[in-house]
Amino acid sequence: MSKLNPIAALICFAAIFPLSAMAQEQPTWEAWSLNQIVSGAPTNSSFDIDYVRGIGTGTNGIGVKYGDTVLMADSASWNENTGEAVTDGHVRIEMGGQIFLGEHINYNFKTRQMRSEQFRTGKPPVFAAGGNLQGDISNKVYTAQHAFVTTDDVTDPAFRIRASRIRMVPGQYIEAWNAVLFADGVPAFYFPYYKRSLGAHANEFNFTPGYRSAYGPYLLTTYTWWLNDALDGVVHADYRARRGPGVGPDLNLHLGRLGEAGFKYYYLHDQDSNLNLKTNNFPSLAGPIPENRQRVYFGWQATPATNLNVKALVNYQSDPLLLHDFFEGEYTANPQPNTFVEANKYWDNWSLDALTTPRVNDFFDQVERLPDVKLTGWRQQVFDTPVYYESESSAGYYRKMFAETNSLFAGTNGPNFNYSAARADTFQQLLLPWTFFGWLNVTPRAGGRFTYYSEETGPGGTNAETYRKIFNTGMDVSFKSSRLWAGATNSLLDLDGLRHIIEPSASYAFVPRPSTLPPQLPQFDSALPSPLLLPIQLPDYNDIDSIDSENVIRFGLRNTLQTKRAGELQNLLDWNVLLDWRLRPKTGQGTFNDLYSGLTFRPRSWLTLESQTRYDINSGHFNLAYHQITFTPNEWWSWGIGHIYSRSGFVDSGDNLFSSTMFFRVNDNWGFRTQHDFNAMDGRLQDQFYTVYRDLRSWTGALTFRVTDNGSGSEDYTIAFSFSIKAHPRHSLGSDVVTPYHLVGE
């Protein structure tokens, strides 16, 4: 018996294997009645399959599947060899999320070509209907005669475009010839040719008409455009009757490996630029505001190489009130925007940062860093010893710049107090973490800091060249304990099991008197008032120039209660309490720092209570109190109630503000939103928002009335109407809760 040549066997295997693989990957046919899946061809069935010729027919409800395409109809005949199918009566074809409906459709399962006399199709956000459809589902290109397209998913859409011929590429664009826009059955506009993008990059206009006391009647217009995957943007063309025109582009650049960049420019010729001076809204403002007002914004962020991040931000504005007057949402988030360039390179245990912050707006106080370079050594083990090491070293040239003109802040020092100096700083620390008894964590630490300062220059410079030495030591002690009650249940608190985790801690920090005290040093990184407790450890406390002696123990206690809701672990309660005991208080300090409490309590999945407080034990009063209750029981209504209090002199002049934000959905077409901010210090209703939402099926509209009382000058009234197409909403869902200013176009 002869043996098969190995090479011939290999060739044979190579030839047979692809054929067998193709056979395995070939889609299979499946047929069923609309109420029972069948295998084979039972004699009492309403359909019949000739397995020899591969031809099937069916009546009284038939379903056929080939690959990812499903066809259903009252009656159908199909050829499994050619893929051709002829269907009649309530025809429905589904493939890849696209649905086609009609009474008579010829369809090829293999080539995916389609012909239909009458049809309806749709895949949100676009739907179409008409006659004489011809389509290639594989390439997703469809043409039809005497058809219409709409974003309204109802039988009789209110807004639609009817055309003699349309061409559709779902998810990309539609084209229409001899097109007429119908609004509730009334022809509104004629387009000889119309094309619209349907993807995420749709070109479109948005209009926000309104009236505001500070503007008069106004119309804010934006045109959103998309050029290609690398460039898109927005063009603003606004007119405010009392203030004048405003224009400018926004550009978004998508540069691949070179990152993302954004550019914004806005210019307006303000006919009443000194309104705030005349109405005494900003009595501390020095000097007039120019008529020609403008802003320039540039932002860039990239990762050009592995573990290398680069960021740049430029915020130029012609005067300090430009954002306040015309971009109130941005002003509320940050009244003094930064300008900087930063690069960060990091490794497993090290990080190198370079930061420069040039001043581009001379009416703001700022510290220029030209530049500031910092090398950070993350906490890391020293060889195979139990000792750990961490460090932070920096060097740079710094300029303390005070506002020159038009300062928003009373009492500014002015440019005659500017000063500059170089600084080099290094901090080194060793730690020895231990775990005793398997649960008690103890970490003693000891370190030192050396800082060099050059002689101060500039009109405000008074300090000579100097250096400072600091020694620090301390210890952290903590442990975590937990207990589980698996059978604990409570319908009121929606409990399904309960776990309690408790984490007591104590952190001791000792810093003896520095060799040079803060008043003899330039203050580039100085301590500023903060609503939260500042760190007591180095290097977490990073106000380098204000480091002074301290001898303090920070006690902490964290309690967490967890339960299961809807099969997921959720925190029922998270409560953190901190208290500093100053063993040797400095002049002006009490024995104890404020008692801090941070609490989040979720008694139900739809009810959240949040609280942050700072209580001054020495004088017996609250320095800070923030409380917020949020109800979100269903999609029909929600309500948030908040209160924030800060004692006068603790942070600025203090606050006592109550806020309420409520949304109520009346029905599928109407909704209502209110927001109130009440200043209890002077009994003033500081801000009021009232918005009525209307669902127009293809569109959504919002009518907003706002009243602002800033405590000086007259009240500011605004009424505005905003609307956008549902298929491409102008703002993300819920954005009006966080930033309601866009409702009035700001």
Side-chain angles (χ1 to χ4, degrees):
M1 180 177 181
S2 60
K3 295 183 179 180
L4 182 64
N5 186 292
I7 297 179
L10 181 61
I11 294 174
C12 182
F13 175 78
I16 295 175
F17 179 76
L19 295 176
S20 63
M22 290 177 60
Q24 292 175 1
E25 294 175 359
Q26 187 72 17
T28 59
W29 291 87
E30 184 179 355
W32 65 91
S33 65
L34 291 184
N35 58 1
Q36 180 183 10
I37 296 177
V38 298
S39 58
T43 55
N44 60 351
S45 175
S46 59
F47 64 90
D48 179 74
I49 300 177
D50 185 338
Y51 291 99
V52 176
R53 294 188 300 164
I55 295 176
T57 59
T59 58
N60 299 324
I62 181 69
V64 182
K65 180 179 180 181
Y66 180 77
D68 61 349
T69 303
V70 177
L71 181 151
M72 290 179 285
D74 289 347
S75 63
S77 62
W78 66 96
N79 188 316
E80 296 183 359
N81 297 315
T82 64
E84 285 285 346
V86 179
T87 61
D88 286 286
H90 302 96
V91 184
R92 179 186 181 96
I93 299 176
E94 299 181 19
M95 194 278 296
Q98 190 79 18
I99 299 175
F100 291 88
L101 304 176
E103 287 300 311
H104 178 80
I105 298 179
N106 293 350
Y107 177 68
N108 191 303
F109 282 94
K110 295 186 176 181
T111 65
R112 299 193 175 185
Q113 298 289 325
M114 176 186 298
R115 295 186 307 277
S116 175
E117 296 175 358
Q118 296 292 328
F119 75 95
R120 286 181 296 134
T121 183
K123 180 180 181 181
V126 178
F127 307 90
N132 194 18
L133 172 71
Q134 295 188 20
D136 182 345
I137 298 182
S138 295
N139 297 321
K140 297 183 179 180
V141 178
Y142 312 94
T143 60
Q145 306 292 329
H146 306 294
F148 71 83
V149 293
T150 181
T151 58
D152 205 348
D153 186 17
V154 294
T155 304
D156 185 19
F159 293 89
R160 57 184 170 180
I161 293 179
R162 179 175 290 279
S164 60
R165 180 166 64 96
I166 64 170
R167 184 172 185 264
M168 299 177 294
V169 181
Q172 297 185 33
Y173 64 87
I174 61 169
E175 291 179 293
W177 288 263
N178 297 322
V180 179
L181 171 65
F182 285 83
D184 204 16
V186 179
F189 202 84
Y190 171 74
F191 305 88
Y193 170 78
Y194 177 84
K195 182 176 181 179
R196 180 179 177 85
S197 172
L198 301 178
H201 311 296
N203 294 5
E204 60 185 358
F205 282 98
N206 277 294
F207 304 94
T208 303
Y211 173 87
R212 182 178 177 181
S213 303
Y215 297 164
Y218 66 85
L219 176 64
L220 308 182
T221 305
T222 60
Y223 176 68
T224 303
W225 56 273
W226 180 83
L227 180 63
N228 51 42
D229 290 337
L231 181 62
D232 61 79
V234 176
V235 177
H236 300 271
D238 306 330
Y239 183 76
R240 304 168 180 89
R242 183 174 180 180
R243 310 302 286 269
V247 295
D250 298 351
L251 302 177
N252 302 309
L253 290 87
H254 315 285
L255 307 175
R257 190 176 182 85
L258 295 179
E260 300 284 320
F263 173 82
K264 298 179 183 179
Y265 176 77
Y266 193 80
Y267 167 84
L268 65 151
H269 181 73
D270 195 345
Q271 300 170 166
D272 198 0
S273 58
N274 290 292
L275 176 66
N276 289 294
L277 288 175
K278 292 185 291 185
T279 57
N280 202 33
N281 287 337
F282 286 88
S284 62
L285 191 65
I289 298 294
E291 291 185 348
N292 296 310
R293 309 177 71 178
Q294 56 188 327
R295 68 171 297 196
V296 177
Y297 167 92
F298 174 76
W300 175 54
Q301 182 171 348
T303 306
T306 303
N307 296 344
L308 174 63
N309 297 320
V310 181
K311 298 179 183 178
L313 189 64
V314 177
N315 278 292
Y316 167 79
Q317 54 194 71
S318 57
D319 60 84
L321 289 179
L322 176 67
L323 296 184
H324 172 273
D325 291 349
F326 301 103
F327 303 92
E328 192 168 356
E330 294 184 42
Y331 180 83
T332 302
N334 185 5
Q336 185 173 334
N338 298 325
T339 292
F340 66 86
V341 179
E342 180 182 15
N344 167 249
K345 175 67 175 177
Y346 57 94
W347 301 266
D348 290 340
N349 294 322
W350 299 89
S351 173
L352 180 63
D353 298 86
L355 172 67
T356 180
T357 58
R359 185 170 75 158
V360 298
N361 300 311
D362 59 12
F363 39 77
F364 291 138
D365 294 349
Q366 186 177 338
V367 174
E368 289 190 317
R369 302 170 188 272
L370 305 169
D372 184 0
V373 180
K374 181 170 67 173
L375 177 66
T376 303
W378 306 117
R379 188 171 297 185
Q380 53 197 281
Q381 189 173 9
V382 179
F383 303 112
D384 292 329
T385 69
V387 178
Y388 282 73
Y389 163 80
E390 63 183 1
S391 69
E392 187 177 277
S393 301
S394 64
Y397 184 76
Y398 311 88
R399 300 173 63 187
K400 181 77 171 186
M401 309 291 288
F402 294 96
E404 294 190 7
T405 58
N406 291 357
S407 173
L408 289 175
F409 311 103
T412 182
N413 291 316
N416 291 331
F417 291 84
N418 294 348
Y419 58 86
S420 308
R423 184 185 71 195
D425 173 79
T426 182
F427 171 78
Q428 313 289 325
Q429 182 164 264
L430 296 175
L431 307 97
L432 186 62
W434 290 96
T435 300
F436 297 97
F437 318 114
W439 55 270
L440 181 62
N441 302 309
V442 179
T443 305
R445 62 185 184 279
R449 186 167 220 135
F450 179 84
T451 312
Y452 164 81
Y453 296 88
S454 70
E455 180 182 3
E456 292 181 8
T457 59
T462 58
N463 294 315
E465 180 182 32
T466 186
Y467 62 87
R468 178 193 60 188
K469 294 180 293 184
I470 296 176
F471 170 76
N472 73 280
T473 187
M475 180 182 295
D476 297 330
V477 180
S478 66
F479 69 90
K480 180 188 292 188
S481 179
S482 65
R483 184 174 179 182
L484 176 65
W485 293 271
T489 58
N490 185 284
S491 57
L492 178 63
L493 296 178
D494 194 14
L495 293 184
D496 180 11
L498 186 66
R499 175 189 289 143
H500 179 208
I501 304 172
I502 185 171
E503 301 177 67
S505 64
S507 180
Y508 173 63
F510 174 68
V511 178
R513 179 186 174 95
S515 61
T516 304
L517 297 178
Q520 283 78 52
L521 301 174
Q523 293 296 305
F524 302 117
D525 293 302
S526 56
L528 298 174
S530 171
L532 302 179
L533 295 180
L534 295 175
I536 62 172
Q537 300 180 16
L538 302 179
D540 296 337
Y541 182 87
N542 56 13
D543 297 322
I544 296 174
D545 304 316
S546 62
I547 297 175
D548 204 346
S549 62
E550 67 173 354
N551 192 356
V552 60
I553 302 176
R554 172 165 291 179
F555 296 99
L557 181 63
R558 176 168 231 129
N559 281 278
T560 304
L561 294 176
Q562 298 177 329
T563 189
K564 279 188 176 181
R565 289 172 176 165
E568 295 183 356
L569 189 65
Q570 189 176 100
N571 284 350
L572 171 69
L573 176 101
D574 189 7
W575 188 12
N576 188 28
V577 179
L578 299 173
L579 177 64
D580 293 349
W581 178 20
R582 300 182 179 118
L583 303 178
R584 185 173 295 177
K586 294 194 288 286
T587 302
Q589 290 184 335
T591 302
F592 295 99
N593 195 0
D594 293 350
L595 175 65
Y596 171 83
S597 170
L599 171 70
T600 300
F601 179 43
R602 300 191 67 184
R604 305 285 293 185
S605 58
W606 49 266
L607 176 61
T608 303
L609 295 88
E610 298 175 89
S611 170
Q612 285 188 351
T613 60
R614 283 186 61 168
Y615 179 74
D616 190 335
I617 296 177
N618 305 290
S619 57
H621 56 239
F622 281 96
N623 280 329
L624 174 73
Y626 164 79
H627 300 92
Q628 175 78 23
I629 303 176
T630 305
F631 301 88
T632 54
N634 51 51
E635 62 178 7
W636 292 97
W637 71 277
S638 62
W639 189 16
I641 310 169
H643 173 241
I644 183 168
Y645 166 82
S646 63
R647 187 175 56 85
S648 178
F650 174 66
V651 177
D652 298 327
S653 58
D655 276 314
N656 191 4
L657 187 68
F658 291 86
S659 63
S660 171
T661 301
M662 175 180 285
F663 176 80
F664 181 70
R665 184 178 176 186
V666 180
N667 52 40
D668 289 339
N669 294 324
W670 292 94
F672 185 66
R673 177 187 180 278
T674 65
Q675 176 179 320
H676 297 87
D677 296 325
F678 177 75
N679 193 323
M681 295 187 71
D682 52 14
R684 171 169 49 95
L685 195 54
Q686 187 170 293
D687 227 348
Q688 305 173 61
F689 272 94
Y690 305 93
T691 302
V692 177
Y693 298 91
R694 177 68 166 99
D695 189 323
L696 303 171
R697 297 200 297 194
S698 295
W699 302 74
T700 57
L703 180 64
T704 300
F705 177 67
R706 177 192 179 192
V707 183
T708 302
D709 182 1
N710 59 19
S712 59
S714 58
E715 292 182 339
D716 187 11
Y717 295 90
T718 304
I719 184 169
F721 177 69
S722 62
F723 58 96
S724 63
I725 190 170
K726 273 187 182 181
H728 304 284
R730 184 178 179 185
H731 302 284
S732 60
L733 182 66
S735 61
D736 56 346
V737 176
V738 182
T739 54
Y741 304 100
H742 75 72
L743 292 170
V744 293
E746 297 178 352

